[in-house]
């Protein structure tokens, strides 16, 4: 985090998006996992992407969500000390007051921080939760990135 924090991640992502756009790609979606969610929310605030997905976000605050302009999906864990349910509910309340921004908020019961990418392959319930989140993410991008 010291050598590559969210600010650096945002600047790097912007450069990649600019390069893609210079080559004719205009429909871009971005997913952020953990601290990457902060990078994605910054992209969604500046309309640099057509859709955003945040999975078990960290470092994202309510003021970030207030500024979001791109469609955003928040896939959250029920048991997450980095993004507790109270904060997810704040995000959801803010987004419900922004009808101009399509949004989707889903809380995965029993899931902990990192459940979408760090799970035990021998745990069928954990695999199913992760796969469900992946399908939700793909559906969001299919809907908005065209």
């Amino acid at each position: 985090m010291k050598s590559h924090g969210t600010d650096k991640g945002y600047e790097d992502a912007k450069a990649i998006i600019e390069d893609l756009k210079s080559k004719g790609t205009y429909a871009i979606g971005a997913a952020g996992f953990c601290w990457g969610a902060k990078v994605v929310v910054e992209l969604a605030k500046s309309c640099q992407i057509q859709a955003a997905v945040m999975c078990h976000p960290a470092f994202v605050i309510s003021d970030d969500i207030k500024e979001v302009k791109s469609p955003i999906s928040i896939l959250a864990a029920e048991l997450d000390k980095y993004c507790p349910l109270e904060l997810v509910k704040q995000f959801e309340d803010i987004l419900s007051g922004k009808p101009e921004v399509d949004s989707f908020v889903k809380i995965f019961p029993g899931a902990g921080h990192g459940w979408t990418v760090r799970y035990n392959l021998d745990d069928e319930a954990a695999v199913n939760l992760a796969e469900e989140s992946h399908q939700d993410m793909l559906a969001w991008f299919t809907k908005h990135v065209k």
Side-chain angles (χ1 to χ4, degrees):
M1 286 297 296
K2 288 181 182 178
S3 63
H4 199 271
T6 57
D7 290 344
K8 173 112 171 68
Y10 174 63
E11 292 304 319
D12 289 349
K14 278 188 355 184
I16 292 167
I17 290 168
E18 288 170 16
D19 188 54
L20 288 169
K21 288 182 177 180
S22 76
K23 294 177 174 142
T25 302
Y26 293 99
I28 299 171
F33 301 79
C34 186
W35 72 266
K38 178 68 173 181
V39 173
V40 166
V41 80
E42 293 298 323
L43 295 169
K45 287 162 52 174
S46 60
C47 291
Q48 295 181 47
I49 54 177
Q50 282 61 56
V53 176
M54 298 191 315
C55 297
H56 44 86
F59 307 121
V60 178
I61 61 174
S62 294
D63 284 346
D64 291 322
I65 301 301
K66 289 176 185 174
E67 296 181 42
V68 165
K69 297 178 182 102
S70 299
I72 188 165
S73 172
I74 302 170
L75 305 178
E78 177 185 27
L79 312 170
D80 191 339
K81 66 181 179 181
Y82 298 103
C83 189
L85 287 179
E86 298 80 28
L87 186 56
V88 175
K89 293 292 185 187
Q90 287 176 21
F91 295 168
E92 188 171 35
D93 289 344
I94 291 165
L95 290 167
S96 70
K98 294 179 66 124
E100 71 280 9
V101 176
D102 194 14
S103 63
F104 176 74
V105 178
K106 184 173 181 178
I107 297 166
F108 287 76
H113 187 78
W115 96 97
T116 65
V117 291
R118 293 180 296 158
Y119 52 91
N120 180 348
L121 291 173
D122 296 325
D123 182 341
E124 185 178 348
V127 170
N128 289 339
L129 278 179
E131 288 179 353
E132 182 180 343
S133 71
H134 300 160
Q135 290 303 312
D136 288 342
M137 179 172 47
L138 290 172
W140 190 255
F141 287 141
T142 298
K143 179 179 179 182
H144 291 287
V145 181
K146 298 176 183 191

